[in-house]
Amino acid sequence: MADSDAGEREEQATPKRLQEARDKGQVARSKELTTALLLMAAATALYSFSNSIASDIGMIARKAFTPDRRYIFNPKQMLSALYELMSEAAVSVAPFFIVLFIIGLFSSAALGGFSFSTKALAPKANRMSIGKGLKRMFGMHALVELIKALAKISVVFLVGYLVMLNTFPTLTELGQGSIESGIAEAMDIVAQSFFLLSLSLIVIAFIDVPYQIWNHAKQLKMSKQEIKDEYKETEGRPEVKGKLRQKQRELSQQRMMDAVPEADVVVTNPEHFSVALKYDLMKSGAPIVVAKGADLIALQIRKVAAANDVHILPMPALARALFYTTEIDEEVPQGLYMSVAQILAFVFQLKSFNDGKGPRPDEPKKIDIPPEYRF
């Protein structure tokens, strides 16, 4: 059952898989949409520039068919005249081709956006496989391309035939006027016919775009096993993560134990919990919990405290309250200020007594704990 699930690609591609495919240049593309947009834009540009192009071509044609006498009897002058006419023609149509180039560049990104990848240019061994080549030639993709090609031919032929029927009478009358008017009218006919033919391809593009998006998503689908493997690679294998967490806990405990010798007092349960407190007289903040732990860690805190002459004070209720309501390097809660203040007052007075600066204080027997802090 596991092997079957591993081979069936029914899950949608993950964001990581999609990004990897994009990095390889594998994005959804529609040649039909690109072609339709390019032809429509070309037809629009041609219609926009048709008057100026027709005027320039008419002027060039008049120059070509009414040459100067010195050009006829001098071959060098004829070549110079030909170069001049070709230059004028190139300048005339240059705006049209510039617009066409820009539109062609952006129309290719209409579906899938811009994507350039050197990986897509690298040779692949599977493209040289005869078996896979035959599969591509006679597979579903080839059948879809054949249907699209037949549909394009049919639609373009039908639209072209209708356009020809509509413009044929006008075409037969072009030679009756002047050169300029004939060229201008011919340009209008070409631009209009071009635009109508390109519109016909939009029908094919509207069918092809959803298919390309669906096919692209289908190619990138993943099996459940692939998703699991990707998750392991991204997040790390469970056993490695477990070791990392264990190491982090060990480092955290070591840092905590290093802070115990600097504590002012360790409040205990007396055996199950230990909480080390430190109060900086130079600061106006509340006392800080520098270490806390239960069972074995609590025992280790007491051992470190005893080895460094940190006073250990058994106060079960206060130890439980501090253990459950605080985190390491946090201030004690406001509701326990008075309770902790009594403990610290005793500890500081005891230090003064040990230094010979005051009487020995009485150890507090009972500390009042607010009801909401009793655990």
Side-chain angles (χ1 to χ4, degrees):
M1 185 68 179
D3 295 338
S4 176
D5 292 339
E8 295 177 359
R9 296 187 174 185
E10 298 179 349
E11 305 296 326
Q12 295 297 326
T14 61
K16 183 175 181 293
R17 179 67 173 268
L18 293 173
Q19 185 59 45
E20 288 177 350
R22 189 172 188 84
D23 293 340
K24 295 177 182 178
Q26 187 179 357
V27 294
R29 294 291 190 205
S30 173
K31 293 186 292 184
E32 314 307 329
L33 178 62
T34 302
T35 303
L37 292 177
L38 182 59
L39 291 179
M40 287 183 63
T44 304
L46 182 63
Y47 189 79
S48 301
F49 295 112
S50 61
N51 292 332
S52 62
I53 293 176
S55 176
D56 293 341
I57 291 177
M59 182 181 64
I60 293 170
R62 188 173 294 279
K63 286 183 179 181
F65 290 108
T66 56
D68 193 285
R69 183 179 178 84
R70 66 178 185 275
Y71 294 156
I72 298 174
F73 298 100
N74 190 340
K76 292 183 179 180
Q77 291 289 339
M78 292 182 65
L79 290 175
S80 177
L82 177 62
Y83 177 76
E84 182 181 347
L85 292 175
M86 290 178 64
S87 299
E88 292 178 1
V91 171
S92 176
V93 298
F96 169 72
F97 283 105
I98 291 173
V99 171
L100 202 61
F101 171 77
I102 295 173
I103 294 172
L105 185 64
F106 284 93
S107 62
S108 62
L111 181 64
F114 288 102
S115 177
F116 179 79
S117 173
T118 56
K119 296 179 182 179
L121 302 176
K124 295 182 180 179
N126 60 357
R127 293 178 180 175
M128 303 178 185
S129 172
I130 297 176
K132 291 186 177 180
L134 291 173
K135 185 178 179 180
R136 286 194 295 269
M137 291 175 61
F138 299 101
M140 180 59 68
H141 180 71
L143 177 61
V144 172
E145 293 298 322
L146 176 62
I147 294 174
K148 286 195 299 182
L150 293 175
K152 282 193 291 186
I153 293 173
S154 302
V155 172
V156 171
F157 177 80
L158 177 61
V159 175
Y161 176 74
L162 295 175
V163 170
M164 182 62 68
L165 285 179
N166 186 53
T167 59
F168 186 76
T170 307
L171 289 173
T172 57
E173 298 175 358
L174 289 178
Q176 299 178 5
S178 63
I179 293 177
E180 288 82 357
S181 63
I183 292 176
E185 195 164 355
M187 288 290 292
D188 288 341
I189 293 174
V190 170
Q192 292 175 8
S193 302
F194 195 13
F195 186 76
L196 291 173
L197 288 172
S198 62
L199 275 179
S200 65
L201 295 179
I202 288 291
V203 178
I204 308 299
F206 279 153
I207 299 174
D208 185 57
V209 168
Y211 168 76
Q212 294 298 339
I213 295 174
W214 171 83
N215 189 49
H216 177 67
K218 179 184 177 183
Q219 290 176 351
L220 295 181
K221 278 189 175 181
M222 304 170 68
S223 65
K224 293 181 179 179
Q225 185 60 43
E226 286 175 331
I227 293 178
K228 291 178 181 178
D229 293 341
E230 181 186 291
Y231 177 79
K232 289 180 180 179
E233 292 176 2
T234 304
E235 301 295 331
R237 296 187 178 277
E239 57 272 18
V240 176
K241 291 176 67 177
K243 290 181 179 179
L244 288 174
R245 285 195 295 266
Q246 181 181 357
K247 189 65 177 178
Q248 290 171 351
R249 285 195 297 267
E250 291 175 355
L251 292 173
S252 177
Q253 290 177 9
Q254 184 60 45
R255 288 194 299 268
M256 183 179 67
M257 292 302 174
D258 292 341
V260 173
E262 301 177 0
D264 294 312
V265 63
V266 173
V267 183
T268 65
N269 193 31
E271 296 181 357
H272 294 295
F273 301 113
S274 294
V275 180
L277 300 173
K278 179 177 176 59
Y279 180 64
D280 192 345
L281 295 174
M282 303 301 294
K283 297 181 180 179
S284 59
I288 302 294
V289 175
V290 296
K292 73 171 190 174
D295 299 328
L296 293 177
I297 298 177
L299 176 61
Q300 185 65 22
I301 291 174
R302 292 196 296 274
K303 287 181 178 180
V304 175
N308 290 273
D309 296 327
V310 178
H311 193 79
I312 301 174
L313 193 61
M315 288 288 171
L318 181 58
R320 287 194 298 269
L322 290 170
F323 182 85
Y324 286 115
T325 60
T326 60
E327 296 296 335
I328 297 173
D329 294 330
E330 285 187 0
E331 295 182 351
V332 300
Q334 188 174 2
L336 295 175
Y337 279 180
M338 293 301 298
S339 305
V340 172
Q342 295 178 58
I343 298 298
L344 291 174
F346 165 74
V347 171
F348 292 148
Q349 290 175 11
L350 184 62
K351 287 182 179 180
S352 297
F353 168 75
N354 293 333
D355 294 339
K357 297 180 181 180
R360 180 180 181 86
D362 295 330
E363 183 174 324
K365 300 298 182 182
K366 183 179 180 182
I367 299 294
D368 291 332
I369 304 296
E372 64 270 21
Y373 289 98
R374 293 175 185 171
F375 294 91

